[in-house]
Amino acid sequence: MRQVTNPDGEVLYRDQAACAVAQEERRKAAEREARRPVCKRCGQKFTDQRWEETTAGGGAWTAGDAAVCGNCRADDVARKEAARLQAAAPPEDDQEPDRGRGWFRRRT
């Protein structure tokens, strides 16, 4: 029994299969991009890393706003740190405190 082969048909089949796979990958990538969150402050789309951090349960990103991108989040952290440092710094008053005006101090 003789086996009939059609080499052009096999090439065509492989090309069509590869094309179908590529189209499916493009469709999935487009759907994923459509679901990608957007920062509520600047409107920039989240990076893959930030998207994963906000959707992962727990971790270092549990504190703070999960609806902002990494850059806005970094700005928030820097702003809070600056406010904390400013609050912890002693006042820069060069004046000597008023003596003798307390409840139990003697006036001199």
Side-chain angles (χ1 to χ4, degrees), residues 38-102:
V38 177
C39 179
K40 71 177 184 180
R41 284 197 206 132
C42 68
Q44 182 178 356
K45 287 191 173 189
F46 281 20
T47 61
D48 288 338
Q49 178 186 5
R50 178 64 176 145
W51 190 6
E52 184 178 323
E53 290 165 348
T54 58
T55 57
W61 292 89
T62 54
D65 193 354
V68 295
C69 66
N71 293 335
C72 292
R73 172 82 167 99
D75 291 344
D76 288 348
V77 170
R79 197 175 307 115
K80 286 179 185 177
E81 182 66 16
R84 186 187 66 78
L85 290 175
Q86 185 178 11
E92 296 182 17
D93 293 340
D94 291 337
Q95 301 173 357
E96 189 174 318
D98 234 357
R99 294 188 183 245
R101 300 196 76 189

